[in-house]
Amino acid sequence: MRILGIDPGLAIVGFGFIDKEGNKMTPVQYGSIQTKAHTPEEERLRDVYESMVQLIEKYKPDQVAVEKLFFSRNVTTALPVAQARGVLLLAAVQKNLPIAEYTPMMVKQAVVGYGKAEKKQVQEMVKLLLKLSAVPKPDDVADALAVAVCHAHSVSLNSKLNEVLRK
């Protein structure tokens, strides 16, 4: 199964494709979509959408995992990020891909084993779990891979739960 993990944003969208076979997770491709500051927001949204469509068409994921937005203070930032998240979801839905959403706490729990883990701990675990030589940069890329790893763990747990429930 190929999973696309996404850390949404307007300036930087982190993405990470991983393959999951049994308990093994292998990175396929990861990076970021970056838009230029001082460009009209609608153009940035178009660029995010078109770039994500190209990535989906090239790497053909089976499932998509997206980080849910959590903003406690800065509503000004929340709106453009929410709009970017919307066009990212649209790109996946138009390709008929199943989408799973995870809160930052769920991602930390799945990757580190502690829902209040520090960002650095999550990044180091992503590096370790995917056998990377370095923590991916910018941080949004490591976050996207963490979302993909979280989904890989969730898929395993859900399939095991379904097996038990069928018996």
Side-chain angles (χ1 to χ4, degrees):
M1 170 191 313
R2 180 161 292 173
I3 300 166
L4 165 58
I6 300 173
D7 180 36
L10 183 61
I12 302 173
V13 175
F15 68 85
F17 292 88
I18 65 169
D19 283 345
K20 179 184 178 344
E21 290 182 50
N23 290 329
K24 186 180 178 194
M25 292 180 285
T26 309
V28 174
Q29 182 62 279
Y30 51 90
S32 62
I33 300 167
Q34 299 188 20
T35 63
K36 294 179 181 159
H38 310 297
T39 302
E41 199 169 283
E42 59 274 12
E43 290 178 27
R44 294 172 87 181
L45 290 168
R46 180 201 58 216
D47 293 346
V48 165
Y49 170 79
E50 289 176 350
S51 296
M52 185 52 65
V53 167
Q54 288 174 354
L55 287 166
I56 288 171
E57 288 173 351
K58 183 172 183 177
Y59 294 103
K60 300 181 179 7
D62 299 303
Q63 299 188 12
V64 176
V66 183
E67 188 171 74
K68 281 187 178 180
L69 297 182
F70 175 76
F71 286 93
S72 58
R73 294 187 198 124
N74 195 346
V75 178
T76 312
T77 308
L79 209 52
V81 174
Q83 290 174 321
R85 188 173 182 280
V87 301
L88 291 162
L89 292 174
L90 176 62
V93 166
Q94 285 183 327
K95 298 294 181 183
N96 297 312
L97 294 170
I99 299 169
E101 301 177 88
Y102 300 96
T103 65
M105 187 175 276
M106 292 164 78
V107 173
K108 291 173 183 179
Q109 180 70 43
V111 175
V112 180
Y114 177 58
K116 294 184 179 178
E118 306 245 343
K119 195 172 200 66
K120 185 117 179 96
Q121 291 173 294
V122 175
Q123 293 171 345
E124 287 299 326
M125 280 304 291
V126 164
K127 176 185 161 194
L128 189 69
L129 290 168
L130 297 176
K131 298 174 177 65
L132 302 172
S133 59
V135 171
K137 296 290 180 199
D139 291 351
D140 312 76
V141 178
D143 292 347
L145 285 167
V147 172
V149 168
C150 173
H151 186 65
H153 289 318
S154 296
V155 168
S156 295
L157 289 172
N158 287 337
S159 66
K160 287 175 186 167
L161 182 61
N162 287 334
E163 283 177 32
V164 170
L165 293 175
R166 278 190 221 116
K167 291 180 182 176

